[in-house]
Amino acid sequence: MNTIKNYAGIEDKFAQLETAKIVLIPVPYDGTSTWGKGADKGPKAFLEASENMELYDIETASEVYKQGVYLANAITEDSSPEAMVNAVHKTTKEYIKRNKFVTLFGGEHSISIGTIRAFNECFNNLTVLHIDAHADLRKSYDGTQYNHACAVHEASQNTNLVQVGIRSMDAIENTYMDQEKTFFAHDMVNDEFWMDKVVESLTDNVFITFDLDALDPSIMPSTGTPEPGGLLWYETLEFLKQVFEEKNVVGFDIVELCPNTVDKSSDFLAAKLYYKMLSYKFNGQDVKEDYDNTYNTNKKEGNNILKFADNED
């Protein structure tokens, strides 16, 4: 899929794997969506919009791309949902082991099953911060546990799952949902302290999975299943900034952009959101700061609290 050479058209010197702190993995997959199709075209639309985006972030007074962003080969495995998840898991873990800040852009939300699995195997006491309109907690759907409707079921069983913005779900999902760590949209709108409450429920290490339909359709119409009553732009940024400031965000993915040929605003929002999240992550860090780029095979303690076993693949 990668007809685009470098993320956001950045210079080659900022786009090399060996020196980049950030890896971006596109996953153009749309194998299990059940209504609006087109998430497989999301990564290309996102990358094209990123090429036309200003790279100076006013809020943080930074140019985060200078930390280095390596655009990895797209994961195009689509022979089955399980094969796709396995491919995402393997690739994500390889880049984590190289001490990269790993990010992914989907694709439908089923890609996150493999992403979360990789991060959970690599980081101690992981919180999955799930920002979405939908609970995505079904154990299986349409005959597979690797469906977009099951995106965070596995995370609910083996991570600290915190869900934000939920406003659509099936009754069966109550079976798996932790009500104390679920923030429903209809409650959030009347609770001025919801952001603080979410942050208090997070562990130190946080992986963010951001489904773009968490946002209100008035600002993000191009998703497969838009739901009214979603998050708006500046409250989303305020919340994300707080999470990045107070916790160690170890990576993130963004999913469910379904671009259309008429309105490009959703593509640009997705591009801007990705770049803002990077800007928050690296805010205040020296661009020239050295870091360990060696391949990790042994258990390592430190700021990232990695948990690799000696014999782990």
Side-chain angles (χ1 to χ4, degrees), residues 137-139 169-177:
L137 284 170
R138 288 174 169 90
K139 188 172 182 179
M169 59 183 287
D170 186 83
I172 192 65
E173 293 176 283
N174 278 311
T175 308
Y176 307 107
M177 178 174 282

Side-chain angles (χ1 to χ4, degrees), residues 5 34 51 71 77 119 125 160-161 199 214 268 293 297 306:
K5 180 182 177 184
T34 48
E51 284 192 318
L71 178 59
E77 172 61 64
F119 276 91
N125 198 19
N160 178 51
L161 177 65
V199 172
F268 277 88
N293 191 41
T297 55
L306 294 166

Side-chain angles (χ1 to χ4, degrees), residues 204-224:
D204 287 340
N205 285 335
V206 177
F207 174 82
I208 301 173
T209 180
F210 197 117
D211 188 326
L212 290 166
D213 65 31
L215 301 168
D216 193 78
S218 64
I219 64 168
M220 175 49 68
S222 299
T223 66

Side-chain angles (χ1 to χ4, degrees), residues 5 143 193 197 261 272 277 296 301:
K5 180 182 177 184
F193 302 110
K197 292 176 181 176
T261 57
K272 193 82 170 184
M277 291 173 75
N296 258 300
E301 299 295 337

Side-chain angles (χ1 to χ4, degrees), residues 176-203:
Y176 307 107
M177 178 174 282
D178 185 340
Q179 296 285 339
E180 296 297 316
K181 295 179 181 178
T182 303
F183 296 82
F184 294 103
H186 70 274
D187 292 326
M188 291 162 55
V189 73
N190 295 313
D191 184 356
E192 61 179 307
F193 302 110
W194 72 264
M195 296 183 194
D196 293 330
K197 292 176 181 176
V198 172
V199 172
E200 288 172 2
S201 68
L202 308 175
T203 56

Side-chain angles (χ1 to χ4, degrees), residues 75 77 79-94 110-115 117-118 121 145-146 154:
I75 298 174
E77 172 61 64
S79 59
S80 71
E82 182 176 7
M84 178 277 299
V85 165
N86 289 338
V88 170
H89 167 257
K90 179 180 179 181
T91 302
T92 301
K93 195 167 181 179
E94 285 290 317
S110 58
I111 76 160
S112 300
I113 300 171
T115 309
R117 188 179 295 170
E121 289 172 356
Q145 66 191 59
Y146 302 105
E154 186 174 306

